């Protein structure tokens, strides 16, 4: 019995070594086989090595100093989102329409600013003169309205309506004759003399002058020897300006019948006829008069097709 007991420890050690060499271990243990028997030479336990990532998941490359990769800034993300452009056809169409709209608004604002620049730079006296001219035009329209109402009242209340109608018809004939240029006229007004030594005044300048006088209330106008009527036209010829096909030479003399207090200021407003002619190196002289005679006549034309519809 004593020999058997002495021999058993050696047998158990051999069995234990064989288990260590075969890599067997306790399934319930969390350590590698024989790890609880291994020790470093300095007496400390060996640390387990770091587990390597699986082949299906690539490891992120770390910076040499151990810090994470820098994230892109907001500006870089914005640039990356805008360039290269990825616009659709609808977006391009909207962009073109917005550009055209903005261009139109810019042109409109510029035009409005140019048109209002003359009045903004005008003096107080000029502004007062312009307002007075507008008031005078309104007054003329009111007077014409009252005159027509008076004629209607006289026709309605007159005992001899036929004689009153004949009287008013003759008065109307005289007025229409003056407008048509078939009868002479006289009355207060102005004489405008345009001298153009350098030949810078063209047909459009004379037309602008005529339109300004008409807007100021001119009732009868004569330029040199040509009577101005509703269908008067101006053209540039080889020898100068033509009015209704008739050549006229400078100085251009306008005889105008109307209210002198309205006609003269209309020509002298800032940016008006006088200043425009001065830019063309021409001079414009305006003289008021209580008696202006317009005696150039137009031949009376009978209409070919139009007939009176009154019975």
């Amino acid at each position: 019995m004593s020999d058997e007991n002495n021999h058993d420890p050696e047998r158990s050690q051999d069995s234990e070594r064989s288990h260590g060499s075969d890599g067997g271990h306790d399934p319930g243990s969390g350590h590698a086989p024989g790890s609880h028997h291994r020790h470093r030479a300095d007496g400390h336990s060996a640390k387990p090595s770091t587990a390597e990532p699986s082949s299906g998941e690539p490891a992120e490359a770390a910076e040499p100093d151990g810090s994470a990769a820098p994230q892109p800034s907001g500006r870089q993300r914005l640039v990356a989102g805008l360039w290269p452009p990825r616009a659709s056809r609808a977006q391009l169409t909207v962009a073109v329409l917005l550009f055209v709209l903005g261009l139109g608004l810019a042109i409109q604002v510029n035009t409005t600013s140019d048109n209002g620049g003359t009045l903004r730079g005008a003096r107080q006296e000029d502004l007062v003169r312009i307002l007075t001219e507008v008031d005078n035009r309104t007054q003329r329209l009111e007077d014409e309205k009252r005159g027509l109402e008076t004629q209607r009242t006289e026709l309605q209340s007159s005992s001899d309506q036929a004689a009153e109608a004949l009287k008013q018809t003759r008065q109307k004939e005289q007025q229409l004759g003056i407008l048509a240029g078939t009868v002479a006229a006289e009355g207060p007004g102005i004489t405008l003399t345009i001298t153009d030594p350098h030949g810078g005044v063209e047909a459009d300048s004379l037309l602008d002058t005529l339109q300004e006088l008409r807007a100021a209330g001119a009732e009868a106008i004569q330029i040199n020897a040509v009577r101005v009527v509703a269908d008067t036209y101006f053209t540039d010829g080889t020898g100068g300006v033509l009015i209704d096909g008739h050549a006229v030479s400078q100085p251009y003399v306008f005889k105008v019948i109307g209210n002198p207090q309205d006609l003269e200021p209309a020509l002298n407003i800032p940016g008006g006829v006088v200043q425009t002619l001065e830019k063309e190196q021409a001079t414009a002289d305006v003289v008021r008069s209580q008696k202006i005679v317009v005696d150039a006549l137009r031949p009376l034309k009978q209409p070919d097709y139009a007939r009176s519809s009154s019975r």
Side-chain angles (χ1 to χ4, degrees):
M1 292 293 292
S2 62
D3 293 338
E4 291 178 358
N5 293 334
N6 293 333
H7 184 70
D8 287 341
E10 296 177 1
R11 185 181 300 174
S12 61
Q13 290 178 0
D14 294 338
S15 175
E16 186 176 350
R17 292 192 188 96
S18 63
H19 282 293
S21 61
D22 293 340
H25 62 280
D26 187 2
S29 174
H31 300 281
S35 61
H36 56 286
H37 296 290
R38 299 193 188 108
H39 296 276
R40 293 179 56 180
D42 57 358
H44 297 282
S45 301
K47 294 182 181 180
S49 60
T50 304
E52 297 182 356
S54 60
S55 58
E57 299 179 356
E60 296 183 357
E63 294 292 330
D65 57 354
S67 61
Q71 296 295 329
S73 63
R75 183 175 182 179
Q76 293 175 341
R77 289 196 297 269
L78 178 61
V79 172
L82 295 178
W83 189 264
R86 295 179 292 273
S88 62
R89 180 177 298 179
Q91 291 173 337
L92 291 177
T93 303
V94 172
V96 172
L97 292 177
L98 291 176
F99 173 77
V100 174
L101 178 61
L103 181 62
L105 290 176
I107 294 175
Q108 180 66 26
V109 170
N110 189 24
T111 303
T112 304
S113 300
D114 293 341
N115 292 338
T118 303
L119 293 179
R120 284 199 299 268
R123 299 174 301 176
Q124 183 177 2
E125 308 87 72
D126 297 330
L127 294 176
V128 172
R129 185 183 305 168
I130 294 173
L131 292 176
T132 303
E133 181 182 349
V134 173
D135 293 339
N136 292 335
R137 292 180 185 178
T138 304
Q139 186 63 38
R140 287 196 303 269
L141 293 176
E142 292 291 338
D143 294 341
E144 184 177 355
K145 176 183 175 182
R146 284 193 294 267
L148 293 175
E149 291 176 348
T150 302
Q151 292 179 4
R152 184 187 62 181
T153 303
E154 291 176 353
L155 286 173
Q156 293 175 349
S157 61
S158 176
S159 58
D160 190 354
Q161 295 184 357
E164 185 63 29
L166 180 59
K167 175 184 175 182
Q168 293 187 8
T169 302
R170 288 176 177 173
Q171 291 177 352
K172 198 68 174 179
E173 181 183 5
Q174 290 291 326
Q175 296 174 0
L176 294 177
I178 293 174
L179 296 177
T182 57
V183 298
E186 66 177 31
I190 63 171
T191 300
L192 170 64
T193 304
I194 299 176
T195 305
D196 181 27
H198 301 283
V201 177
E202 298 180 349
D204 56 351
S205 299
L206 297 181
L207 178 59
D208 293 340
T209 304
L210 174 62
Q211 298 286 41
E212 196 68 39
L213 291 171
R214 283 175 170 172
E219 298 177 352
I221 303 174
Q222 175 180 330
I223 304 176
N224 290 8
V226 180
R227 183 71 172 268
V228 176
V229 292
D231 58 353
T232 294
Y233 61 92
F234 297 80
T235 56
D236 291 317
T238 56
V241 179
L242 301 178
I243 303 178
D244 292 336
H246 302 283
V248 293
S249 59
Q250 63 93 20
Y252 306 105
V253 180
F254 287 71
K255 295 181 179 180
V256 187
I257 296 177
N259 187 359
Q261 297 178 355
D262 296 337
L263 297 174
E264 183 179 4
L267 299 176
N268 291 313
I269 62 174
V273 172
V274 174
Q275 289 188 1
T276 302
L277 292 173
E278 290 176 352
K279 292 180 180 178
E280 298 174 354
Q281 298 182 352
T283 58
D285 297 326
V286 182
V287 178
R288 297 187 184 187
S289 177
Q290 293 300 318
K291 184 179 181 181
I292 299 293
V293 177
V294 176
D295 52 5
L297 302 180
R298 287 291 187 105
L300 180 61
K301 294 182 180 180
Q302 294 293 337
D304 295 331
Y305 303 100
R307 297 292 183 269
S308 176
S309 61
S310 62
R311 295 181 182 179

